[in-house]
Structures are given as C-alpha cells and as structure tokens.
Amino acid sequence: YGNLVSRTLSMIVQNFDGVIPDAALTTELTSDITTAIEAVGRGLETQDFTAAVQATSALIAATDGYLTANAPWKLAKDPEQRERLATVLRTAAKSIRMVTALLHPVLPYVTARVWEQLGLGSIERAAETGELRDLTQGGFATNTKLGTLAPIFPRAEKELITRMNDAE
C-alpha cells in the first residue's frame, strides 16, 4: 500500500505538477474495485475483518499489476503518450482512493494521511458526510492538487532495529 501510494503520487507530482490529471478513466480496474467493495462490505457486516483486509489487499495487488503492465515511467518519457500517462495515473489514483476508504476502519491513522496526500482533505469529514459509504460516486474534482507527500510507513532506523533484535 505504501509503495503503491508513493509511486503513483510521486509520478503525479513529477509529470503533472502535483495535480491529479483530468483524464478519462479506464475500466481496467473496475471489476477489481467492485469485487473489493462487495467483499469488504460482507466482511465488515459479519465482522470478518481478515476477509475485508484480504479483499483490499487483492485490489492493491491488482492496481500494482495495472501500473506494472502500463509502465507509466516509460510513458512519461514519450511526449506522444502524455494522454495515456494521464489516464494511467488518474486510474491508479482512483483505485488508491478506494483502497484508502476501504482500509479506513482498520487503519484510520494511515488512511487519514493518504487521504490528505490525495488532496481530499479530512477522511473523518468524508466519513461523516457519507462519502466513504458510497464509493461509486465522487472521486476527484477537476484540478485536485495533491497534499504534501510523506512516507505513510516511515522506515525504522537501523540502530533501532538492531536494538530490538538484541532485546529479543
């Protein structure tokens, strides 16, 4: 999740000045998103949080596979592919928005940071207004500017890891 967010949002900053491109969305991830939304809904209703997280993890993997298959880092090198690059990055950002909403019940602090990085403001406010309940609507307004990017899972210092291993 952290790597996917970092790669996608960094490419948006590098290629679109930190503004989520206003491009057509592809339908390539639609069935993966629908499957994840339905599975998470069932998992939360039955309190099967493992199933909910696994469904979300499958969407993360599908989105990562989508990026690998479309190689936006290669598209970025070809000015004639700018429209395709915009579509790939907007589609990946949409999927990250969905993943973030789906993970919010189990990772509230991490998802709050990602929501802000996506330029969507407060995820708590989105939850209060019902935006997180209806994931088929909404998304990104035209010219949505990303927030400040930062690692969502900062790396532990090497010295800390060594001390923890020694303590075991």
Side-chain angles (χ1 to χ4, degrees), residues 93-108:
K94 176 188 175 189
S95 183
I96 290 169
R97 178 184 167 273
M98 298 295 184
V99 166
T100 303
L102 294 172
L103 283 176
H104 184 62
V106 293
L107 290 172

Side-chain angles (χ1 to χ4, degrees), residues 9 22 27 33 35 54 82 88 100 122 139 146 148 164 166:
L9 300 188
D22 189 27
T27 58
I33 290 170
T35 299
Q54 286 173 339
R82 184 147 175 91
V88 168
T100 303
S122 165
L146 297 178
T148 303
M164 290 175 72
D166 290 346

Side-chain angles (χ1 to χ4, degrees), residues 69-86:
N70 286 281
W73 48 92
K74 290 181 182 176
L75 295 174
K77 294 177 183 178
D78 184 354
E80 293 181 16
Q81 295 295 321
R82 184 147 175 91
E83 187 174 322
R84 177 69 185 147
L85 174 64

Side-chain angles (χ1 to χ4, degrees), residues 58-72:
L59 178 54
I60 292 167
T63 306
D64 190 55
Y66 169 77
L67 284 177
T68 299
N70 286 281

Side-chain angles (χ1 to χ4, degrees), residues 127-144:
E128 289 170 6
T129 61
E131 185 180 342
L132 297 185
R133 286 192 182 102
D134 188 3
L135 296 177
T136 60
Q137 300 298 318
F140 300 104
T142 302
N143 295 320
T144 297

